Amino acid sequence: MGIFRRGPKRDRSDAPRDPEFSYFSSDEGARFRGHVREAFAERGLEVTVYADMVKDSAGRQFGLGNLAAVCHNDDRGPRVWAEVAREHVGMVLRTMDAPSALDTLPAEQIRAQLYPRVIGSEGFNPHAFDYARPLAPGLHEIIALDLPESVMMLTDEALEPIGEVRELRARALENLRELPVEGHEVVKNSEGMRFDVLVGDSFYTASRVLVLDDLVQRVTGRRLGADGALVAMPFRHQLAFHAIRDVGVIQALSGMAGFAAAGYQDTPGAISPYVYWWRNGELIQLSDRDEDGDGLRIVVGEDFQELLERLVEDQ
């Protein structure tokens, strides 16, 4: 998985847009939902199709946001949407109809397949995840069970019979540290802007921000200093970072702000469009939407401003 996506041949951008998924034209949105309906029908389920979900006769709801983003970002274009929908629907139904892994897997196997997962606020139900650890405004850390065809985000109710949250989180972090580095790329330009990007098919690539100090040393061969790093987690398959060592952080912050915002849009598993300052495991947001919502702005507090002034003096 690369850090930049190629655009498939699609309807022109000036074609009427789908009201729910604006990256689709109206015709593409209708075609996409038709493929979804057909995929469920092939599995013996008639569904009612809404703009952002479908509902079967038993009242079960299936959101379309992630599948729509997957189709949108598939560089093979609309010709494969039927196949993608068929595979996705099959996986979802197999997961829902199978016995719960929490009831069938041995306790130690469950613990071996636990991972912490960083998620954004969209779709997050705080009432079901009272144990969730807040990382920054709009960012939460939960515990997930990794399964062959799906990821089960574990609610308070699901965790209770497994063990104490602190112990389970420690095991999940240990499992996260042991994951292989699937891909590492460097984004840079002729003016000296540079930052690193970790990419991978793993659903926990972005979540490796939780073990950033270990990860940076593993990837770059150097430990993070006391000033920490800039980080961005646009979506679940990407983690960008810049170890703060000198005034290069200024250009990195600007470059990463645009990178994060672009990577967040229209992607499955979107997490955050912003850049954060990671220091001693804490995250402080540094970029934000501007007041009219059409652009980006950098917002720094006193601590980060003092850091910048010190780095400028030291150069």
Side-chain angles (χ1 to χ4, degrees):
M1 175 179 292
I3 59 175
F4 299 108
R5 305 184 304 276
R6 290 188 293 121
K9 185 176 181 180
R10 300 273 293 281
D11 288 350
R12 291 166 52 96
S13 60
D14 58 358
R17 311 317 296 169
D18 184 87
E20 182 66 31
F21 306 119
S22 60
Y23 43 78
F24 286 153
S25 69
S26 295
D27 288 345
E28 288 172 339
R31 187 185 319 171
F32 162 73
R33 293 180 182 87
H35 290 319
V36 172
R37 180 189 288 111
E38 291 172 3
F40 276 98
E42 289 174 5
R43 295 275 175 169
L45 284 177
E46 291 297 326
V47 295
T48 302
V49 181
Y50 299 92
D52 61 345
M53 70 170 185
V54 300
K55 182 186 294 186
D56 68 9
S57 58
R60 298 184 300 181
Q61 297 181 5
F62 307 84
L64 297 180
N66 273 347
L67 177 56
V70 168
C71 288
H72 167 62
N73 286 288
D74 195 310
D75 58 16
R76 296 171 295 175
R79 63 185 177 85
V80 302
W81 289 358
E83 174 189 348
V84 173
R86 191 177 301 115
E87 292 177 355
H88 179 84
V89 168
M91 180 273 293
V92 168
L93 292 178
R94 284 193 300 273
T95 300
M96 293 187 70
D97 294 339
S100 172
L102 297 175
D103 296 330
T104 59
L105 293 179
E108 185 51 38
Q109 186 174 347
I110 290 175
R111 291 169 182 266
Q113 294 173 204
L114 293 179
Y115 293 91
R117 187 168 177 188
V118 176
I119 60 174
S121 292
E122 186 174 349
F124 174 73
N125 180 1
H127 302 294
F129 297 91
D130 187 59
Y131 75 90
R133 192 167 74 97
L135 300 174
L139 289 182
H140 315 273
E141 176 195 338
I142 62 169
I143 298 175
L145 177 63
D146 191 62
L147 300 170
E149 287 193 316
S150 64
V151 172
M152 180 186 298
M153 297 192 292
L154 300 178
T155 62
D156 298 315
E157 182 180 1
L159 279 181
E160 185 175 358
I162 303 176
E164 199 269 331
V165 171
R166 181 179 301 180
E167 175 195 352
L168 296 176
R169 179 175 183 266
R171 179 60 185 271
L173 286 169
E174 179 183 335
N175 295 338
L176 186 67
R177 290 188 182 94
E178 294 176 355
L179 286 177
V181 174
E182 296 182 66
H184 170 231
E185 304 179 33
V186 177
V187 178
K188 56 185 177 180
N189 64 18
S190 59
E191 299 176 353
M193 185 274 295
R194 175 189 175 100
F195 57 90
D196 296 79
V197 181
L198 202 70
V199 296
D201 292 329
S202 168
F203 276 43
Y204 314 103
T205 302
S207 300
R208 297 177 82 151
V209 70
L210 300 171
V211 292
L212 188 72
D213 42 3
D214 290 345
L215 180 69
V216 170
Q217 182 171 17
R218 183 174 175 183
V219 170
T220 69
R222 298 181 64 186
R223 293 188 63 84
L224 284 175
D227 293 327
L230 303 179
V231 295
M233 302 142 284
F235 64 110
R236 64 193 178 207
H237 301 294
Q238 270 187 7
L239 170 63
F241 67 85
H242 171 86
I244 300 175
R245 307 190 193 280
D246 52 39
V247 292
V249 66
I250 298 173
Q251 292 197 51
L253 175 55
S254 177
M256 288 176 66
F259 177 85
Y264 173 82
Q265 288 188 345
D266 311 333
T267 53
I271 298 176
S272 172
Y274 305 128
V275 179
Y276 300 85
W277 179 22
W278 182 100
R279 185 174 60 165
N280 297 324
E282 296 185 359
L283 293 175
I284 299 174
Q285 185 175 326
L286 297 179
S287 66
D288 203 350
R289 299 288 186 192
D290 60 20
E291 293 182 358
D292 59 15
D294 294 330
L296 294 170
R297 60 191 177 108
I298 304 300
V299 182
V300 301
E302 290 184 6
D303 287 349
F304 195 77
Q305 183 63 40
E306 290 176 3
L307 165 64
L308 294 178
E309 292 173 358
R310 172 166 52 80
L311 293 175
V312 170
E313 292 175 358
D314 291 345
Q315 70 174 334

